[in-house]
Amino acid sequence: MDSPHGAAVKAEDFGLKGPRGWVFRNIAIDAAPGSITAVEGPSGSGRTCLLLALTGRMKPTAGHAEVGGHRLPKKMAAVRRIAALGPVSGVNDLDQALTVAEQLREGALLQRRYEGPIRALLRPRGERRASAAARIEEALAVAGLDLATLPKGPRTSVRDLERLESVRLSVAIALLGDPRLLALDDLDLKLSDAERAEAWSLLRAIAARGTTVFAVCSEAPQDIPVVRTGTPAKTPDAKPETDAKPDAKPDTKTDAKPESDTKPDAKPDAKPHTNTKTETNTKGTDDALAEARRA
């Protein structure tokens, strides 16, 4: 597995609106290749949908973004080829019925089938297996998951993994495709302080190899730039938003239509990597992810 060249991520007035209103809007990002950016905000404020939009899985409706030189929303397919999702609940959940080894083999098979070069499918079976095994081994090493430490080794059921082990497994599967951009949701969910430190150390190691990383979290370390989603405070000078025609249609495996009910009235204070006016109606985000599950 070669160390990829990270994708620069830039966005201006980036937003996504559904039939009931804004899911997120006025997002400003300027992330260098091989950097880490945290996404913070209350639950339901569009954090997950922002990740899906930046990785080409959900179509934005306002502003624009550029990922690795590919402009969104025009080049969504090109962005999907260079961006991978780590754990995103409701979108690419691990299969609890599989063992760790089975989950890894499935990930390698899907990566080769849908993302790898066509010529790779024509190689002899033994060569394909050896190549997949080597890629899995290297991805596990980068993700910091030692199968020998699991209760039943590679035969350990996915449902028996600890939360941090599940994160490492999801990251390993994402790394099989040598992505230039890696996006993770709820990084620090249900982790102790020590485990959170380990999780951020993992992301720093991945970024050090060249991959650009975006991670949703409840609270980022002080040295990590932050993009914030959420409802800003109202101001007397706020101007009402225009009623733009909704066109929030996700792509590929996430046929979700993000929705929201309310409209904020103010502009937030400028902060590093962020300039947001986003709504915190949980119904819109929940509806989007529910449709993604059905897809």
Side-chain angles (χ1 to χ4, degrees):
M1 182 186 300
D2 296 329
S3 178
H5 174 64
V9 180
K10 299 179 183 295
E12 183 178 351
D13 295 328
F14 199 50
L16 190 152
K17 188 177 183 181
R20 301 188 213 184
W22 291 98
V23 177
F24 63 83
R25 60 175 174 172
N26 285 10
I27 297 294
I29 300 172
D30 187 2
S35 64
I36 305 176
T37 302
V39 180
E40 293 183 2
S43 178
S45 64
R47 300 175 306 174
T48 302
C49 292
L50 175 58
L51 289 188
L52 296 176
L54 288 175
T55 55
R57 273 78 175 177
M58 189 171 282
K59 187 177 182 180
T61 57
H64 68 272
E66 189 174 282
V67 180
H70 303 297
R71 193 177 179 89
L72 293 172
K74 186 176 181 180
K75 299 293 186 179
M76 292 176 64
V79 170
R80 286 195 299 272
R81 286 193 290 270
I82 65 171
L85 293 177
V88 179
S89 179
V91 176
N92 64 342
D93 302 279
L94 297 174
D95 191 333
Q96 302 298 303
L98 299 181
T99 66
V100 172
E102 290 170 340
Q103 188 79 77
L104 287 164
R105 285 197 296 269
E106 180 183 86
L109 178 63
L110 291 175
Q111 190 278 326
R112 185 177 72 240
R113 172 64 178 83
Y114 294 106
E115 301 174 18
I118 297 298
R119 63 179 180 274
L121 300 176
L122 305 178
R123 293 184 298 179
R125 179 178 299 179
E127 185 178 341
R128 295 200 305 267
R129 287 179 176 176
S131 176
R135 296 180 69 82
I136 288 173
E137 183 178 356
E138 186 168 355
L140 287 171
V142 175
L145 182 60
D146 185 355
L147 300 187
T149 64
L150 300 180
K152 296 182 181 179
R155 296 179 60 252
T156 301
S157 175
V158 169
R159 68 168 64 91
D160 294 330
L161 295 177
E162 299 292 337
R163 166 64 183 167
L164 184 55
E165 292 170 340
S166 294
V167 171
R168 292 185 185 277
L169 177 58
S170 293
V171 167
I173 293 171
L175 293 177
L176 291 172
D178 290 336
R180 296 174 60 191
L181 171 64
L182 173 66
L184 308 89
D185 197 16
D186 290 328
L187 175 67
D188 51 8
L189 180 67
K190 298 180 180 180
L191 296 183
S192 66
D193 290 343
E195 289 172 332
R196 290 184 182 189
E198 288 187 51
W200 284 108
S201 294
L202 166 62
L203 297 192
R204 288 187 176 94
I206 293 172
R209 297 178 65 254
T211 306
T212 305
V213 179
F214 275 73
V216 168
C217 63
S218 59
E219 184 177 0
Q222 294 184 353
D223 62 323
I224 302 295
V226 174
V227 170
R228 302 185 191 280
T229 60
T231 303
K234 295 183 179 180
T235 64
D237 298 329
K239 296 181 179 180
E241 298 294 327
T242 58
D243 293 327
K245 183 178 179 181
D247 188 27
K249 296 182 180 180
D251 208 340
T252 66
K253 299 181 181 179
T254 55
D255 293 325
K257 296 182 180 179
E259 302 175 352
S260 182
D261 289 333
T262 60
K263 296 183 179 180
D265 297 321
K267 297 181 180 179
D269 296 332
K271 297 181 180 179
H273 282 7
T274 175
N275 180 13
T276 64
K277 290 196 300 181
T278 309
E279 310 196 358
T280 54
N281 182 283
T282 59
K283 188 173 181 61
T285 300
D286 290 345
D287 286 350
L289 296 181
E291 292 191 24
R293 294 188 190 98
R294 290 195 291 272

